[in-house]
Structure formats: C-alpha cells, structure tokens
Amino acid sequence: MAAAADQVIAEGKRRDGAALVCASGISPSGPVHLGNLREIMVPHFVADELRRRGLECRHVLSWDDYDRLRKVPAGVPSNFAEHIGRPLTAVPDPCGEHENWAEHFKAPLRAALAKLGVEVDEISQTQMYTSGAYREQIVHAMRHRQQIDGVLGRYRTKKAAVDAEVEQDDEDLAAASAAGYYPYRPYCEVCGRDSTTVVSFNDASTQMQYRCECGHEGGFALSETDGGKLVWKVDWPMRWAFEGVTFEAGGVDHSSPGSSFTVGSQVVREIFDGLPPSYLGYSFVGISGMAKMSSSKGGVPTPIDILEVVEPAVLRWLYNRRQPRQSFSIALDAEILRLYDEWDALGRKVEGATATELEVAVRARSLGPAAGPLPSTPRPLPFRTLASVADVAAGDPKQTLRILQDFTVGEPLAGLDEAQPRLDRAQAWVSTYVPAEERTQVRAEPDRERLEQLSPVKREALKLLLDGLDENWSLDGLTALVYGVPKIQAGLPLDAPASPELKVAQRELFVLLYELLVGRDTGPRLPTLLLALGADRIRSLLTVA
Ligand SMILES: [Zn+2]
Ligand SMILES: [Zn+2]
C-alpha cells in the first residue's frame, strides 16, 4: 500500500494540497460479502498508511442506499419483489428490527468494521439526494446532457462487454430514450419506483416531466424538488468532484476500457470541472472449504460471520498481505489451522527480529490501525490446539481450563480469559465448520471385546503407555512417550532415529489408540488428545481387564 499512498500524496499535490480523501462505496442491497469488504479494506489500508506518515486522511464510506432494489436476495421472502425499483431506504426491513431494508444490511457490516478497527465517515446517498445536497449538480448535469451523451457515446460504440456493468449499460441506454438523453431518473411520485422515463427538461425553469410504467405522468422543478438520482456513470464522477476524492478502489472490471471508471474520468473533467481519483483495481475474494457444509447453516458467510472464527488481526492480515490485484480465498475447513499457524509464525519471526522490513510493516498494520492495536489474545495458544481441546471438551469450561493448564505446565493458564478471544473462535469453528462425522466422539465405554483380543505385544504397548502417563504428563512428555513405546519394545534407546520398521510400529500403535479412545482410526494429534482426555479417562479406556 506504500506505493498507493505515494500516488495519493502526489494526487493531493496536483490539487494544490487538497485534503486527502479515500472513498469506498457499498450498496446495502443484500448481504455484504467478503468480496465487497475489499472495497473498504483497500482504501482503509491506504488511508492508514497515510495516517502512519502523519498525514490527515478522511475515509468516506458512501452507502449507495438510494439505489433501486434490483432483486430479492436468497433467504428473504419473495413477496418483497413488489418493492423492486424502489430506493433501498424505501423498502421495509425484512426482519422488523431495523428502520428499513438498507439499514438491515448495513448493520452487520458496521459491526464487522468496528471489530476490524476500520473507521469511516458514513454518507447516506439517500440523505444526500433527498436533502437536496446535489440539486445544483443535478441541474448542471441536465443542462449539459448533450455533452454527457457525447462523452458516453464515445465509449458506447466500444461495446464494453463486462458482465458487472451490463445493468449499468442498460440504465445508460434507457437514459438515452427516443425523447433524448437525460442523465437523471426520478422515482415515481405515485408508485415509488424508478420505472420512469424523462420526457422533457426546461433548461431555464429546470422543470422536468416524466412518465412512469404505472401510468402516472408528472413532473417537478429540479431546482426546487428532490426525488430522483443521476444515472450511475454520472453519479459516480459527480461525487468525486463533490467529496474531493483523491483515492478510490474498485473491482478490476470497473477499470477496463469503456468501464464506468474510464467514462467517469472523462465526465468529471469535462462536466464537473474536477479530477478523477487515483485508482486501484482489486480482485475477487472467495471462500473455500464450504463444500462439506450443509445448506441449513445459511448462505455464504459475511464478514461478521468470518469474525466468529477468524481473529480481527488475522482477517486484516488476509487483506493486507497481498496486492489488491491478487485474488484469494478464505478457507473455512481445516486450512484455517494453517492460516493461524502462519500468522503465529510471522509473530515469532517479528519478535525474534528475523523478519524482513516488509513483514514487520505488514504485521503492525494487521494488528490494528494507526490509532492503536486491536485487542489481542494474551496467551495465543496454537489455534490447532484450541480446536482439538474444544472438540474433545465439547464446550465444558472447567474441563477446558484443566486441559489448557496441562498444555501450559511451565506457566499454567490462570483462567480462560487469557486464551480469549482466540478460544471462542476455535470453539465456534469446531461447532460451525467441522462436519459432525469429523468431530471427535470419545468412547463412553471401553471396547472390551477388542481389548481382550489384543496380542501380547499390543497389551505390553498399552501397559508401557499407561505406566508412563504420570511421569510424562505434558505435551512434550506425551509426544516422547507415544513415539517412544515402540522403541522400548524394539529394545532401542528413546533417541533412536526412526527406521521404516519403527515407523510402521508407531503407526500401528497410533491407529490402535485412536480406535480404542475415539472409535475411528484418526483424530486430533495423539499427545493433544491424551492431554485433553485426562489420565483417568485414558486408563479407563485402555486398561485390559
Ligand atoms: Zn432487519
Ligand atoms: Zn409509477
């Protein structure tokens, strides 16, 4: 983000030292997904970089809540379809707890931003348009409609076949109807929808007449009455000029030739006497590891759902460690264990002073914004360990603390608080994203039949293990013990290197232990599982009568 920040500074100088403004725009038309979060995170990290350099920077979040409802998202009753065409703030709230549709979808994103330490100045476009803030700009655009039509016409022939923009091009074409081109659409005063066509505009009086598909014909003076909005390709550049935006990011498709950014760059110069912002295109953010999830768990997780299992600093890191043009996926299956391992490894590198300058900078920016670090876990035990403990202890706080204290024998955990908020995330991950058939089910009763049929060698192995439990009751001790039992049986010293035969014997013992303890041939790492079960339970499940 350093290079992007340099460009924004240059952009500010080009504008005679104008204030630095990073802008994001979100349409609260449905659940705001992780891909949309990048729309906020890229400008956030640029603004943050500027602030770290001691510069003032405003990060504006424009809620495009005066946009029309285009379609009813999955999970919302289909009778909401009657509101299609109305502004998002004029559609009722689907749950009944919020002021309207737009607020319903803003709320979870706001909560996620607060947890991520992302500070923004929110601007409601409904508020701006309906309060008349843009009246002058609307009248100006209508008076210069032929010039705008000319600019847009230069690109229309280039046929920008970009999926994401098809609807906007439809809107653009609709604006250029038989009655002439008008870069403005009123919401119908009778049905409230934007299924309207402007039929005339008087440059002098600013009187605009329209026709609606509902049959209503009406009109009002744009210099006096507010009740519609500029079409997207004119609205966006108008706001660049209005807010003095010096940096904006957008999906890579917005920056292709003929896209709204290219067209907007011309419109802002030629019509609004402004400059386009410095711009960065960003790529897709996906989710992986959802294949095994049942659809009953709901749709695609949103940022606030992800924060249930990923610490805010780690989520910041995901958006921060790659260039915006690189796409990436957030893994919700067992890959998440590796994500936390990598994050912890970076922390050790930084603390051990072996990290590169770039790694140090990336980690500092992930831990929190320039204003200060976000709350972090005082004792960040490996997520992998916490997940295994959560799996075995099944949420019992007493048992969880007992196990975690066994994991931290040198300096035992004083209370579960020290492992928070990471512990809660591990518990949420196990209960939400680990399929039931992969969760650990500790046997309630020993498998007596199996125990009785064991060969003398296997019986001896179990006895050696049980006899060594107390003496080796720590993660390291139990690791040495489970690997060591086959060595003792082969008459080898405990530090003997693993021969192929030894590896086979170890593997056989591990499978036997898993089967006797959890009834499957795999499970959490054995030393972790043993610690989690506790010596009494292990004895009850492994003792041959
Ligand atoms: Zn609601
Ligand atoms: Zn109507």
Side-chain angles (χ1 to χ4, degrees), residues 224-273:
E224 288 162 14
T225 305
D226 314 295
K229 71 185 286 287
L230 292 168
V231 296
W232 166 248
K233 282 185 176 174
V234 180
D235 179 48
W236 199 22
M238 179 277 287
R239 289 195 259 141
W240 290 338
F242 190 92
E243 306 288 351
V245 176
T246 40
F247 176 81
E248 185 142 356
V252 278
D253 50 357
H254 274 310
S255 43
S256 56
S259 68
S260 33
F261 182 76
T262 324
V263 179
S265 300
Q266 296 304 315
V267 172
V268 72
R269 287 176 207 274
E270 296 181 30
I271 309 299
F272 295 107
D273 194 24

Side-chain angles (χ1 to χ4, degrees), residues 93-98 100 104:
D93 173 26
C95 84
E97 286 169 26
H98 303 94
N100 54 53
H104 176 83

Side-chain angles (χ1 to χ4, degrees), residues 12 102 112 126 156 195 275 296 328 333 381 411-412 437 471 485 505 534:
T126 299
R156 276 187 205 120
S195 45
L275 289 168
S296 64
F328 68 91
D333 55 9
L381 299 172
E411 193 192 333
E437 64 272 17
E471 194 184 328
V485 166

Side-chain angles (χ1 to χ4, degrees), residues 101-238:
W101 180 281
E103 290 305 314
H104 176 83
F105 291 107
K106 284 179 193 179
L109 183 64
R110 257 188 209 127
L113 294 181
K115 286 183 189 229
L116 286 166
V118 174
E119 260 187 63
V120 288
D121 288 352
E122 294 182 39
I123 297 178
S124 155
Q125 289 306 325
T126 299
Q127 204 275 326
M128 297 300 280
Y129 269 107
T130 59
S131 69
Y134 300 143
R135 260 186 218 171
E136 201 185 301
Q137 284 74 8
I138 291 169
V139 169
H140 179 79
M142 286 293 263
R143 285 179 177 150
H144 294 80
R145 59 192 177 279
Q146 282 180 342
Q147 266 170 275
I148 295 175
D149 193 27
V151 176
L152 267 53
R154 276 181 241 151
Y155 295 95
R156 276 187 205 120
T157 50
K158 290 186 185 162
K159 200 175 183 315
V162 181
D163 284 346
E165 305 230 31
V166 166
E167 248 173 313
Q168 286 148 13
D169 284 342
D170 285 352
E171 184 191 59
D172 178 30
L173 287 176
S177 69
Y181 174 81
Y182 297 101
Y184 174 88
R185 241 186 196 194
Y187 281 107
C188 172
E189 292 152 289
V190 172
C191 72
R193 301 191 182 92
D194 72 344
S195 45
T196 55
T197 308
V198 175
V199 293
S200 68
F201 177 71
N202 184 314
D203 282 356
S205 70
T206 79
Q207 180 69 22
M208 178 272 315
Q209 295 297 126
Y210 70 92
R211 208 168 32 225
C212 178
E213 279 173 18
C214 75
H216 178 68
E217 289 184 20
F220 47 82
L222 293 182
S223 59
E224 288 162 14
T225 305
D226 314 295
K229 71 185 286 287
L230 292 168
V231 296
W232 166 248
K233 282 185 176 174
V234 180
D235 179 48
W236 199 22
M238 179 277 287

